[in-house]
Amino acid sequence: MVKKILVSQPKPTSEKSPYYDIAREYGVELVFRPFIKVERLTAKEFRQQKVNISAYTAIVFTSRHAIDNFFKMAKDLRVNIPEDLKYFCVTETIALYIQKYVQYRKRKVFFGTTGKIADLVPQMVKHKTEKYLVPMSDVHSNNVTELLDSKKLIHKECVMYRTVSDDFTPEEVANFDYDMMLFFSPAGVQALNKNFPNFQQGDIKIGTFGPATAKEVTEKGLRLDLSAPTPEFPSMTGALKNFLKNQQ
């Protein structure tokens, strides 16, 4: 019987999170503890890519991490952000986050609706003369490069931050007594291996979100008990609720 679940994500900021509803309805304890964290490259590491931020007229943001690391890197490098710099973001939520660093002007901020860069490309094509810079994590595919190449856009992808294991303390290791763990990225599964090299799954249930994360679990020789998204349950919370309902 699953009673204590480790969710490898930051604690929800809203009390209205579906996770809290699940905890109340099924009497389970949810512990939010990320297995990974984002770390900015040093200015020296970034310079090795020979990217001149000032040479670009538009920035493409795929996440809040990208925004944080772009503006902090610009500050480290003493780069002045011009007033007329354009920002292209994969969602409106990410676009609004830019306000944390600069005065928000809708005339120079563009955003998509699906969270996928392919949805943003038509707007980028309308501004074909721009020089696009895309800040990324060290773990990424070539999809963005190939997509922007296919539209003949002027662009450059650069690594500004890396995903590293958020190591467990000796006390956390000693008190590791979960009935279930939920993972949301292959890096999180890799961090489990790093923190617990002799991990034995036994009766511990493992749930994943996304096919790449599921693949990482099975390739590590672990048993996958819950996989999302599915047509019936597109969210992790929906899939988890159904899983707990079926074990009663």
Side-chain angles (χ1 to χ4, degrees):
M1 183 70 77
V2 171
K3 282 293 179 186
K4 190 174 181 182
I5 304 171
L6 178 59
V7 184
S8 61
Q9 280 192 326
K11 188 176 181 179
T13 52
S14 170
E15 289 299 320
K16 294 180 179 177
S17 168
Y19 280 112
Y20 296 132
D21 295 335
I22 289 170
R24 282 189 293 269
E25 188 172 347
Y26 294 96
V28 294
E29 180 186 354
L30 295 174
V31 178
F32 297 92
R33 204 293 185 188
F35 275 60
I36 55 176
K37 60 184 177 181
V38 171
E39 185 178 88
R40 189 160 89 258
L41 264 62
T42 64
K44 182 180 178 182
E45 288 172 323
F46 181 75
R47 284 193 191 100
Q48 290 171 357
Q49 298 177 74
K50 295 183 168 56
V51 173
N52 177 11
I53 293 174
S54 301
Y56 296 87
T57 58
I59 314 296
V60 181
F61 289 130
T62 55
S63 68
R64 291 183 182 186
H65 287 311
I67 293 173
D68 284 334
N69 287 284
F70 170 77
F71 285 104
K72 288 173 183 175
M73 184 64 73
K75 186 178 179 182
D76 287 351
L77 297 171
R78 296 185 175 84
V79 173
N80 287 321
I81 304 297
E83 287 272 317
D84 59 352
L85 187 65
K86 292 186 175 73
Y87 304 102
F88 290 77
C89 307
V90 292
T91 65
E92 184 178 10
T93 304
I94 291 170
L96 290 169
Y97 190 70
I98 295 172
Q99 292 178 103
K100 183 177 175 182
Y101 296 97
V102 294
Q103 192 176 349
Y104 189 86
R105 288 190 183 86
K106 287 201 173 180
R107 64 179 174 82
K108 62 174 185 177
V109 180
F110 309 86
F111 52 84
T113 54
T114 65
K116 295 179 180 177
I117 197 158
D119 179 49
L120 190 60
V121 167
Q123 295 194 61
M124 294 171 68
V125 170
K126 288 178 185 175
H127 298 81
K128 212 172 178 91
T129 58
E130 303 295 342
K131 295 179 180 177
Y132 293 98
L133 182 66
V134 190
M136 303 179 89
S137 163
D138 61 330
V139 180
H140 61 267
S141 68
N142 290 323
N143 294 353
V144 173
T145 303
E146 291 166 0
L147 184 59
L148 302 189
D149 277 346
S150 72
K151 300 299 180 183
K152 297 184 167 54
L153 293 168
I154 304 165
H155 63 97
K156 174 73 176 177
E157 289 68 56
C158 63
V159 174
M160 281 197 177
Y161 52 102
R162 60 172 72 90
T163 303
V164 297
S165 171
D166 190 359
D167 291 346
F168 280 60
T169 64
E171 185 181 2
E172 285 178 311
V173 172
N175 295 319
F176 196 86
D177 59 345
Y178 300 96
D179 304 311
M180 186 174 195
M181 294 185 290
L182 304 180
F183 293 100
F184 299 82
S185 71
V189 181
Q190 292 158 14
L192 171 70
N193 261 34
K194 182 175 184 286
N195 282 283
F196 303 93
N198 301 314
F199 177 72
Q200 297 293 320
Q201 184 173 0
D203 293 330
I204 299 173
K205 312 296 185 198
I206 291 180
T208 59
F209 191 83
T213 313
K215 183 169 180 260
E216 189 71 29
V217 165
T218 54
E219 285 184 351
K220 289 281 188 291
L222 298 170
R223 186 186 68 254
L224 184 59
D225 301 284
L226 168 66
S227 182
T230 64
E232 192 178 1
F233 302 107
S235 68
M236 175 59 93
T237 49
L240 176 61
K241 188 174 180 177
N242 182 65
F243 180 86
L244 294 172
K245 181 181 171 184
N246 288 335
Q247 75 156 11
Q248 287 185 330

